[in-house]
Amino acid sequence: MKQKKNKGYKKSHKIYALTVIVLGLAIILLALFLLFYVQRIEVEGNEYTDSQEIVDLVEEDPLSMNSLYLLYKYRFTDYDMPGSLDSMKVSLAAPWSVRVTVDEKKILAYVQNGEQNVYFDEEGLVVKMDSEVLEGVPCVEGLDVSGAELYKTLGNGDEALFRSILDVTCQVREFELSPDRIVCSGEDIQLWFGEICVLLGDDITADKIAQISPILAKLEGRRGTLHLEHFEEKGDAVSFSPDVLPE
């Protein structure tokens, strides 16, 4: 009888211990759920990508309510992000507050298409489409973007011309130039700096672009056309036609 009593006691003790463990785990999980329940998502690092678009994408995941899950997801797994971004990083401002830090693709230029401006990067990818004019971004004229779609590469009937546009916008940024306009005239490219037009022709080279800044410094306050379309190497003659501008 005594042995049976001891066995019953041990059995009830095990059940009690198991119950305590289960309840303890449940309390811990509930505490983690409540403590790390996402109440706020803040976005930083974006200049032209809409913050709400990023927040909506994060919240699409049904498990996004937990900040620890978001930390794991954006550090150790593959994830989707807007086409205008190169990267997204998630950190915790507080257990219940998530900070999303993004790195955007660099905008090279934009083309006006009706009431919208089509912004693209160095790969020709459309990263922004709206009526807003971003300060410091050159406008390209003469390029057909009627079929442009957000987060898709621009298509153009004249691939050589489009490649020249990409080349000149990349070179302009590299040499820290800020043209007001980039104009496609047939196969030729023009850069406009106020009332000075720089003719580059259809062959865009770094040597041509490198001549612009020092020459513009000497032409400050003047009006006319700078001819670089036939320039090939340092030492070649460069002419300036005062008070003459392409139509």
Side-chain angles (χ1 to χ4, degrees), residues 121-138:
D121 71 354
E122 61 186 10
E123 300 297 329
L125 180 73
V126 178
V127 295
K128 180 180 175 68
M129 291 180 67
D130 62 25
S131 58
E132 181 183 5
V133 176
L134 298 180
E135 185 177 352
V137 179

Side-chain angles (χ1 to χ4, degrees), residues 66-79:
N66 186 271
S67 58
L68 291 179
Y69 168 77
L70 290 178
L71 274 180
Y72 171 79
K73 175 181 177 179
Y74 286 95
R75 288 189 182 185
F76 302 110
T77 69
D78 295 329
Y79 53 86

Side-chain angles (χ1 to χ4, degrees), residues 187-205:
E187 296 294 322
D188 297 333
I189 306 297
Q190 306 170 359
L191 298 182
W192 287 74
F193 300 85
E195 291 194 284
I196 292 181
C197 175
V198 180
L199 300 184
L200 297 175
D202 60 358
D203 183 24
I204 309 303
T205 66

Side-chain angles (χ1 to χ4, degrees), residues 89-246:
K89 295 181 180 179
V90 168
S91 59
L92 299 186
W96 55 86
S97 179
V98 173
R99 180 184 294 115
V100 181
T101 304
V102 302
D103 183 24
E104 293 177 311
K105 297 181 185 297
K106 304 299 182 184
I107 290 178
L108 282 185
Y110 74 94
V111 183
Q112 290 182 327
N113 184 31
E115 296 183 356
Q116 282 197 321
N117 296 320
V118 179
Y119 293 87
F120 58 91
D121 71 354
E122 61 186 10
E123 300 297 329
L125 180 73
V126 178
V127 295
K128 180 180 175 68
M129 291 180 67
D130 62 25
S131 58
E132 181 183 5
V133 176
L134 298 180
E135 185 177 352
V137 179
C139 177
V140 176
E141 300 177 14
L143 189 65
D144 181 16
V145 294
S146 55
E149 295 182 53
L150 188 62
Y151 303 147
K152 292 190 177 181
T153 303
L154 285 172
N156 190 274
D158 190 335
E159 293 300 327
L161 175 61
F162 186 61
R163 176 47 54 186
S164 293
I165 289 293
L166 291 180
D167 287 344
V168 75
T169 48
C170 287
Q171 294 285 356
V172 160
R173 187 175 68 179
E174 182 178 341
F175 284 92
E176 299 181 348
L177 296 171
S178 301
D180 302 307
R181 300 156 58 202
I182 300 174
V183 178
C184 306
S185 178
E187 296 294 322
D188 297 333
I189 306 297
Q190 306 170 359
L191 298 182
W192 287 74
F193 300 85
E195 291 194 284
I196 292 181
C197 175
V198 180
L199 300 184
L200 297 175
D202 60 358
D203 183 24
I204 309 303
T205 66
D207 287 335
K208 285 184 179 181
I209 304 300
Q211 309 307 309
I212 296 175
S213 185
I215 295 176
L216 287 181
K218 297 177 182 178
L219 296 176
E220 186 175 358
R222 300 187 65 180
R223 176 178 182 273
T225 300
L226 177 63
H227 295 272
L228 287 174
E229 61 267 53
H230 302 302
F231 182 90
E232 293 184 0
E233 59 184 16
K234 190 174 181 180
D236 287 351
V238 176
S239 63
F240 177 70
S241 302
D243 298 319
V244 177
L245 292 171

